[in-house]
Amino acid sequence: MMVRTPSSDKNGLKRGTWTPEEDKKLVDYITRYGHWNWRLLPQFAGNLATKEFGFKSLLLSGLARCGKSCRLRWLNYLRPNLKRGNYTEEEKETIIKLHRHLGNRWSAIAAQIPGRTDNEIKNYWHTNLKKRFEQDRATESQVSNSCERSSTSTTTTEASANTFQSFNSTKDCSLFSQHSSSSTTSAEFNTVTINENLDLQDEFSFWDADTDLVSANFWLESYIHDISYAATEPEFFTFDAQLWSHDN
DNA sequence: AAACAACACAACCGCACCTCT
DNA sequence: GAGAGGTGCGGTTGTGTTGTT
């Protein structure tokens, strides 16, 4: 298991690897209250049993992590229903197809692969699939060049057959430019053969319609829990409000 | 067995976007 | 409309592990 050496930043906030205790604090807090404010959350997390000790002890016994770090830890590692371990062939193919369509929009890709996070998919792409993608692209490029040189040839070579088999299609990434972020290296995809745009649009038509719904449901569930909890134990919420009126 | 390289992935950083005041 | 703060995203880094020489 690779880990970053624990350290602290200039504000005394901890950085690096999360400990099991920190994970527990974060999970306990979010499963109970949800993540209503990532920036403030670390100061409340870990204090479920110590609310009666007052404001100062709350801060001292909370998570010494920045909100961003908490958010990342929760989304990429701690939240429920995350898959760990090897990718199935189906998942690999899905990632490749979606990447062709969406480019480096990892969160959008992750939204279509249950249990996988954008960070995980991004890592997997860089360490595994990117190579495969580039190899296949290189092969395809060679085939394309040889086809140009021999203008009379209309037959598909063995190499191109392998390339296309690998991706299950000869579909393009021209649509990708419609969706890619400014930071995406879209130029590197421009050499890919452009074919059957309309078919590809059909294939991914579910995406725009469903993506927001999927993510919305996920978070809505946690907020429903929060709201129902607030109804049964309102003192926790009034307590929080009083606490932070001291701070501001 | 040791040294080095490549891999794997958790975590961090900076930026863009959105919402609120 | 402008500014501030919060959130989310994609790129990158750091470091333990594994493989190779």
Side-chain angles (χ1 to χ4, degrees), chain A residues 140-186:
Chain A
E140 191 174 335
S141 179
Q142 282 178 354
V143 170
S144 172
N145 288 340
S146 67
C147 285
E148 281 176 17
R149 281 194 295 273
S150 57
S151 58
T152 57
S153 172
T154 55
T155 57
T156 304
T157 66
E158 193 177 332
S160 66
N162 289 339
T163 299
F164 297 151
Q165 185 181 19
S166 166
F167 285 123
N168 290 332
S169 77
T170 61
K171 292 172 182 173
D172 77 290
C173 58
S174 64
L175 288 169
F176 153 74
S177 60
Q178 297 172 14
H179 296 281
S180 63
S181 66
S182 59
S183 58
T184 305
T185 55
S186 57

Side-chain angles (χ1 to χ4, degrees), chain A residues 1-117:
Chain A
M1 180 79 154
M2 79 301 311
V3 291
R4 289 196 177 206
T5 309
S7 62
S8 298
D9 69 7
K10 59 180 184 288
N11 297 318
L13 294 175
K14 201 175 163 195
R15 298 171 61 180
T17 319
W18 281 67
T19 65
E21 291 75 25
E22 288 176 313
D23 284 345
K24 186 176 184 309
K25 282 182 182 180
L26 188 60
V27 170
D28 284 351
Y29 188 86
I30 292 179
T31 52
R32 193 163 185 179
Y33 299 114
H35 46 83
W36 47 275
N37 182 315
W38 284 116
R39 192 177 65 85
L40 299 181
L41 184 148
Q43 296 162 359
F44 285 87
N47 296 296
L48 294 176
T50 60
K51 69 187 179 78
E52 68 275 16
F53 295 153
F55 183 62
K56 283 186 179 176
S57 65
L58 273 170
L59 290 177
L60 288 174
S61 60
L63 267 175
R65 294 276 183 174
C66 72
K68 236 177 168 176
S69 183
C70 291
R71 176 184 165 273
L72 210 61
R73 184 66 178 170
W74 172 256
L75 291 178
N76 289 334
Y77 206 83
L78 299 175
R79 72 181 156 99
N81 304 321
L82 283 181
K83 276 190 208 167
R84 315 300 304 177
N86 296 338
Y87 283 73
T88 64
E89 280 305 312
E90 189 184 354
E91 284 176 321
K92 291 176 193 173
E93 292 301 326
T94 304
I95 292 169
I96 290 169
K97 281 185 185 177
L98 287 168
H99 188 272
R100 287 191 143 214
H101 179 56
L102 300 167
N104 293 355
R105 297 177 66 204
W106 306 115
S107 61
I109 293 171
Q112 300 304 328
I113 304 176
R116 301 293 186 182
T117 70

Side-chain angles (χ1 to χ4, degrees), chain A residues 102-134:
Chain A
L102 300 167
N104 293 355
R105 297 177 66 204
W106 306 115
S107 61
I109 293 171
Q112 300 304 328
I113 304 176
R116 301 293 186 182
T117 70
D118 56 352
N119 204 38
E120 198 180 6
I121 291 170
K122 179 171 59 181
N123 283 332
Y124 189 69
W125 174 267
H126 285 307
T127 55
N128 295 278
L129 300 180
K130 191 179 180 181
K131 264 188 224 153
R132 176 175 156 187
F133 182 88
E134 287 175 346

